[in-house]
Amino acid sequence: DTAVSQTPKYLVTQMGNDKSIKCEQNLGHDTMYWYKQDSKKFLKIMFSYNNKELIINETVPNRFSPKSPDKAHLNLHINSLELGDSAVYFCASSMGLDTQYFGPGTRLTVL
Amino acid sequence: SQQGEEDPQALSIQEGENATMNCSYKTSINNLQWYRQNSGRGLVHLILIRSNEREKHSGRLRVTLDTSKKSSSLLITASRAADTASYFCATFQAGTALIFGKGTTLSVSS
């Protein structure tokens, strides 16, 4: 019954590695997002996709590449991980401008 | 760029008391939303108020919006220990995504 799910929940990896986080929503929404929450709990939008098209791409290093294979999925691939990438990453979805529903988050720790 | 700014940053109250959190923002918006985040968890949507609305209620929650002052408030009445969490306001403009404030950490003790 999970509305927005993310995997994995925890990710611990070494600097320089490449990793992916997956997100799926079963709400039939047309828009999906990736947010980053830093250690001070500040949440910042990274990307937004509407009907598989990228519509928002904030100032994010190009080591981060989102991929939306279909409307229900938005994955985040990160190349050459750096210490500063350690954070909690949240996926969310919405129907147009309406309420956004968030996933449980993926806590990424880069050692 | 940060849009919403919550005040206070932290609030400690006793069970049964009311908790009021304020949010100020900078530019025009389509709607303003309040979210709750329990420690180590994802965000839970509480309430959405559109720019043409002034007040909205949901259970023990009351949200007001003053677009002339670019501010909103969230009132939680008769608070419970389970209300302990961080509360974020987020503003939405067409063509963009939600922009979150830094949050208010609410602690309700029994």
Side-chain angles (χ1 to χ4, degrees), chain B residues 32-60:
Chain B
L32 185 144
Q33 303 178 33
W34 285 91
Y35 287 81
R36 184 186 73 225
Q37 184 178 34
N38 290 83
S39 182
R41 301 287 194 97
L43 283 89
V44 173
H45 181 262
L46 295 176
I47 203 162
L48 180 154
I49 187 165
R50 300 186 197 282
S51 58
N52 61 354
E53 296 175 311
R54 291 296 165 257
E55 189 169 311
K56 215 160 179 185
H57 296 254
S58 176
R60 293 183 296 112

Side-chain angles (χ1 to χ4, degrees), chain B residues 10-25:
Chain B
L11 183 59
S12 291
I13 58 173
Q14 299 283 322
E15 260 192 329
E17 293 180 338
N18 295 343
T20 300
M21 289 160 255
N22 301 299
C23 170
S24 58
Y25 57 92

Side-chain angles (χ1 to χ4, degrees), chain A residues 56 96-100, chain B residues 3 25-33 47-54 56 65 67 70 90-99:
Chain A
I56 292 171
L97 301 180
D98 220 335
T99 301
Q100 292 188 19
Chain B
Q3 166 82 301
Y25 57 92
K26 296 173 186 169
T27 62
S28 62
I29 59 172
N30 289 95
N31 63 59
L32 185 144
Q33 303 178 33
I47 203 162
L48 180 154
I49 187 165
R50 300 186 197 282
S51 58
N52 61 354
E53 296 175 311
R54 291 296 165 257
K56 215 160 179 185
L65 179 64
T67 51
K70 293 188 170 57
T91 53
F92 194 92
Q93 296 170 280
T96 68
L98 280 176
I99 302 177

Side-chain angles (χ1 to χ4, degrees), chain B residues 52-95:
Chain B
N52 61 354
E53 296 175 311
R54 291 296 165 257
E55 189 169 311
K56 215 160 179 185
H57 296 254
S58 176
R60 293 183 296 112
L61 306 180
R62 178 183 148 228
V63 167
T64 61
L65 179 64
D66 186 336
T67 51
S68 66
K69 293 181 180 175
K70 293 188 170 57
S71 67
S72 172
S73 68
L74 169 67
L75 168 68
I76 305 174
T77 58
S79 60
R80 306 166 183 167
D83 294 328
T84 295
S86 292
Y87 292 81
F88 295 88
C89 73
T91 53
F92 194 92
Q93 296 170 280

